[in-house]
Amino acid sequence: MTGLVRLVEDDEDLRAAQVQTLRMAGLQVQDFGLAADALRGVTRDFPGVVLSDVRMPGMDGMQLFQHLHAIDPDLPVILLTGHGDVPMAVAALKAGAYDFLTKPVARDVLLAALNRALSARALVLENRELRQASHDASDSFPELAGGSEVMDHLRAALDRVAQAGGNALLTGPDGAGRLIVARAIHRQGPRRARAFVHLACDALDEARFDADLLGGDAMGPRGTRQAGQLERAQRGVLFLDRVDALSPAMQARLSAIVEAGEFWPAGAAAPRPMDVQLLASTQADLSQRVAEGRFDARLFYRLSGTVLPVPSLAERREDIPALYRHFLLAACARLDRPAPAMTGAVKARLSGHGWPGNLPELRGFAESQAIGVTPFDAPEGGDAPGLPDLVAAYEAELIRDALRLAGGNATAAMARLRLPRKTFYDKLARHGIRPTNFRR
């Protein structure tokens, strides 16, 4: 058990004994002889619980509770009372105190109550953090967040492409977030005020390719003309999703249009200049397909001025817990349900599973947790992680949790985990964890 307890007790001998008991149980303790002193520094973000005697000189435990309750109604306050204070403690419970214990209190009873209170506090703070993160990310792309090295590189490259306005090819497996990266480039670039047009290349019909892409000037039955995708994307961004699905004829036609820098809608008297940033995506190795003659070389080189590899979840494992929490909170908000606690089984799943379905699979898992279903599925092709893999994954997640709580301070994380320095750094190297990624 780990956690922070702010202990308030005016009897010095009793306070010293309580401090020793709590620290031997692995808790961090801040002890005070006066309630007024204990109140200082407590904010809505206080990361622990308060354990206070009731009968004290000056400000008593009830008054302390009332002040703390005004700061944060969700802050757990446990009151220690004598037998004559039970009616007062019952009144405090009705007013919102977390619990009360009568003196003398057994060690296991005290620690069990503190454990419950600390778990409740951790869940409250996590839900608040997730709600804030969800609110802050409402107009951005939380799927691209994370402290992994590959995401640092991707975000930096994404920003350069957005500002330069050049064409780019987004590579990576399905579900990794290629469409999200394309939208982020549009949002962050100078073309953000213009359209983002998503063209699913695997859904295009060769017979209607020109009509869909170029449109026409002829009036339709309702007196309107059909604008093609290129015209809709003028001065904006055209995203060619799954460009590898284009037939050879469509590849050649698109290559000719891009090379000319202009396009002719059907029935138009003159060509229209093409002012479009082209982004394309593929999960195939297009350079290999070019070498094999299965993809138009001219189109490949025009689209791949910059190549942005979008990593799979397996390549950014340290980001998975934060992504899971984002998806979980979004699902709980939609379903109007409280977010469930992060159990050891869920942590092991997040760290030990391969996530071949990438972001959609992780989102589905989070949504199943939100509704109380635990789909720990059967082995994937016989390659499910064994017990040593799950234990290692759980160990890595515990280390990440300690670093998060310590704000990336390795010394504080070592103390929280009670690990020697060499052992701690050996484990960091083994799991590929960087403390700097957790610094606030």
Side-chain angles (χ1 to χ4, degrees), residues 18-98:
Q18 290 174 334
V19 167
Q20 183 179 21
T21 296
L22 299 183
R23 286 181 177 163
M24 287 179 64
L27 295 169
Q28 300 178 55
V29 184
Q30 299 172 343
D31 61 294
F32 301 87
L34 295 175
D37 293 339
L39 189 59
R40 296 190 184 101
V42 176
T43 67
R44 182 173 166 80
D45 298 323
F46 180 71
V49 302
V50 176
L51 175 65
S52 175
D53 190 18
V54 170
R55 299 288 183 183
M56 293 183 292
M59 182 188 298
D60 64 22
M62 281 295 296
Q63 292 170 319
L64 174 62
F65 159 69
Q66 290 165 359
H67 284 292
L68 293 170
H69 193 68
I71 293 171
D72 183 1
D74 295 322
L75 175 60
V77 178
I78 298 176
L79 298 174
L80 291 172
T81 70
H83 291 289
D85 298 324
V86 170
M88 182 191 304
V90 171
L93 281 178
K94 291 180 179 178
Y98 185 81

Side-chain angles (χ1 to χ4, degrees), residues 43 96 164 192 209 227 233 236 251:
T43 67
R192 67 177 69 89
F209 182 70
Q251 294 171 28

